[in-house]
Amino acid sequence: MIEMFEEWYKSRHEYAKEWKDKTGGKVMGFFCTYVPEEILLAANVLPVRILGSHEPQNVTEPHIFGMYCPFCRDCLAQGLLGRYDYLDGMMIAQSCLHIRQAFTSWKKHMPPEFTYYLPMPHQVQSPRSIPFLRSELETFKGAVEQWVGKEITDADLDRGIELMNASRQAMRDLYDTRKSANSPMTGLEAMYAAASNQWIDKAEHTAAVREALAKELVGRDLGLGDKTRLMILGSEDDDTAFVNMVEGCGSVIVTDDHCTGSRYFWNQVEPEEDRLLAIAKRYINRPACPTKDWPQRTRLEHVRMLAQEWNVAGAIIIQQKFCDPHELDIPEQRKSLGEIGVPTLFLELDVTVPVGQFKIRVEAFLEMLAEEDLF
């Protein structure tokens, strides 16, 4: 099943089209992992996260400012090129200015039958954030009911919550295997599993993760025990070519803090009588992205915990070019990791540019870590 995650990663559009043909259901494209997929699953809608293709493109210049991050421009390009033409709906939960512009341009030029902007609070640490989001989720639930022509009952919400919680627990268990001194899977394999989880039918993906845990990963030896253990964190990152390059230099990536990685599945909905309140609490209390990590800095302790529990020797901090929220987050992250003895390498990336130019810097970083082991 490990190979299946890569196949799903590479055939995301074909999978969604086949799912529509097979089920007759609707597909919702979404920007940002603050979108409450529980409500979409309760309505039997397939959520599909919109990501880029990491290819150079020349179609977004008339629609989005050139100094907006390459990730949001890459996402918009996928819409302009017609690669998501099977979407029935598209939505966003309030996120950074750049990805909101991608959503607005997509909605204006390629509107599907249903679009929705969910006002997710930025100040998640305010005591008013949970009741505010709960109210917004009720409005969103009503809009989805009108769109699909069906009431979403408490039993439906329970099913959506159970599907998401089972998926999150399976991914947590998969990541836990990488705490081993000889990780049974590479960082690239983990990235394929985590990213594909954001567009594959949740029950199908969870079953694949459980099968991999039970039948493939137990006793699996890829000879990674002598590799330098790294973590990656920062801006959105599903750049498989970059991860493959880093691991090809003699390292293994054992954990991450990305919205396409552990931040997506880290915490669960704690069931309670008011289902929408329970969902709101989960999204308010999840590991924050930098746009929502204020006034208290909660991300620093979370990232330190990941570095220590997964026993990393160093961390690569990635910033998408022009990604202001992470640019502001990075200096404190470097200082915080340095205080626990975890050296960092900062790289500013453009997801549509070949990664070869970064290889010599990664090699130098790994060489420095090896020297620290000697002395």
Side-chain angles (χ1 to χ4, degrees):
M1 293 309 297
I2 293 290
E3 293 78 13
M4 179 60 75
F5 301 129
E6 179 179 358
E7 184 177 330
W8 279 336
Y9 179 88
K10 294 178 176 177
S11 63
R12 67 191 73 175
H13 303 306
E14 291 76 11
Y15 178 89
K17 291 173 184 174
E18 289 173 7
W19 183 91
K20 281 185 71 169
D21 291 340
K22 184 171 62 178
T23 67
K26 294 181 181 293
V27 178
M28 171 76 91
F30 68 96
F31 295 98
C32 183
T33 52
Y34 279 93
V35 165
E37 293 179 66
E38 290 85 352
I39 295 173
L40 297 172
L41 295 176
N44 296 317
V45 172
L46 177 68
V48 171
R49 185 170 181 192
I50 296 171
L51 295 176
S53 70
H54 306 277
E55 301 166 339
Q57 53 83 21
N58 59 357
V59 298
T60 57
E61 287 302 316
H63 307 288
I64 195 166
F65 191 43
M67 284 188 66
Y68 278 28
C69 82
F71 170 65
C72 75
R73 286 186 280 117
D74 194 12
C75 287
L76 178 59
Q78 303 311 301
L80 293 167
L81 292 169
R83 291 175 180 168
Y84 284 93
D85 58 0
Y86 52 86
L87 295 181
D88 302 290
M90 186 182 63
M91 70 174 295
I92 188 172
Q94 178 162 275
S95 183
C96 72
L97 175 66
H98 295 194
I99 202 69
R100 280 156 47 195
Q101 180 59 48
F103 170 77
T104 302
S105 293
W106 192 314
K107 179 181 175 182
K108 181 176 182 179
H109 298 289
M110 304 156 287
E113 66 181 33
F114 177 80
T115 61
Y116 199 87
Y117 183 100
L118 179 69
M120 173 73 202
H122 275 321
Q123 193 176 3
V124 295
Q125 296 172 20
S126 164
R128 295 181 291 277
S129 63
I130 290 176
F132 174 86
L133 183 58
R134 191 241 174 257
S135 176
E136 289 296 337
L137 293 182
E138 186 160 21
T139 304
F140 172 57
K141 172 174 167 287
V144 173
E145 287 174 332
Q146 189 171 5
W147 175 42
V148 301
K150 174 182 175 297
E151 180 188 4
I152 299 174
T153 65
D154 282 348
D156 293 329
L157 287 174
D158 288 343
R159 177 169 47 80
I161 291 170
E162 288 169 6
L163 284 168
M164 289 300 295
N165 277 353
S167 172
R168 290 166 179 144
Q169 186 59 56
M171 287 303 301
R172 285 286 298 267
D173 293 345
L174 190 76
Y175 267 45
D176 279 349
T177 66
R178 301 161 75 198
K179 290 180 178 176
S180 164
N182 184 16
S183 173
M185 63 189 307
T186 66
L188 180 60
E189 289 173 328
M191 178 171 279
Y192 283 133
S196 64
N197 189 28
Q198 299 175 39
W199 52 79
I200 299 299
D201 176 271
K202 281 290 180 290
E204 190 174 357
H205 192 277
T206 300
V209 173
R210 287 293 175 206
E211 185 173 342
L213 285 165
K215 298 181 179 177
E216 290 187 62
L217 296 180
V218 177
R220 190 180 190 221
D221 186 357
L222 298 176
L224 301 176
D226 60 348
K227 304 291 185 183
T228 304
R229 298 172 66 86
L230 297 178
M231 72 177 296
I232 52 175
L233 65 144
S235 305
E236 183 281 336
D237 182 22
D238 70 314
D239 196 336
T240 56
F242 176 80
V243 169
N244 191 43
M245 180 273 289
V246 172
E247 295 195 314
C249 293
S251 68
V252 56
I253 295 170
V254 293
T255 192
D256 65 72
D257 178 67
H258 288 296
C259 63
T260 39
S262 67
R263 227 185 292 152
Y264 173 69
F265 58 76
W266 192 258
N267 63 326
Q268 301 214 0
V269 175
E270 298 298 333
E272 57 182 283
E273 184 63 27
D274 186 337
R275 279 76 169 175
L276 295 180
L277 183 62
I279 295 171
K281 288 179 178 176
R282 187 267 167 190
Y283 285 90
I284 291 295
N285 294 324
R286 57 162 271 187
C289 91
T291 62
K292 297 172 173 58
D293 196 33
W294 56 278
Q296 299 298 317
R297 299 293 302 273
T298 62
R299 284 177 42 73
L300 300 178
E301 192 56 37
H302 179 70
V303 169
R304 285 162 66 116
M305 179 276 296
L306 291 172
Q308 291 173 319
E309 290 201 8
W310 272 259
N311 191 28
V312 304
I316 298 180
I317 302 180
I318 299 164
Q319 179 199 332
Q320 298 278 351
K321 198 172 183 180
F322 307 130
C323 177
D324 296 335
H326 278 282
E327 187 171 16
L328 292 170
D329 186 58
I330 286 168
E332 286 300 313
Q333 290 289 2
R334 300 192 75 176
K335 178 182 176 185
S336 173
L337 287 170
E339 288 172 351
I340 59 169
V342 177
T344 57
L345 171 67
F346 168 67
L347 296 175
E348 184 183 58
L349 298 183
D350 181 327
V351 292
T352 62
V353 173
V355 298
Q357 60 184 304
F358 301 107
K359 185 176 181 183
I360 192 168
R361 295 183 62 187
V362 172
E363 288 174 335
F365 181 59
L366 293 173
E367 187 174 336
M368 181 196 75
L369 295 177
E371 289 174 353
E372 289 188 353
D373 282 346
L374 285 175
F375 300 104

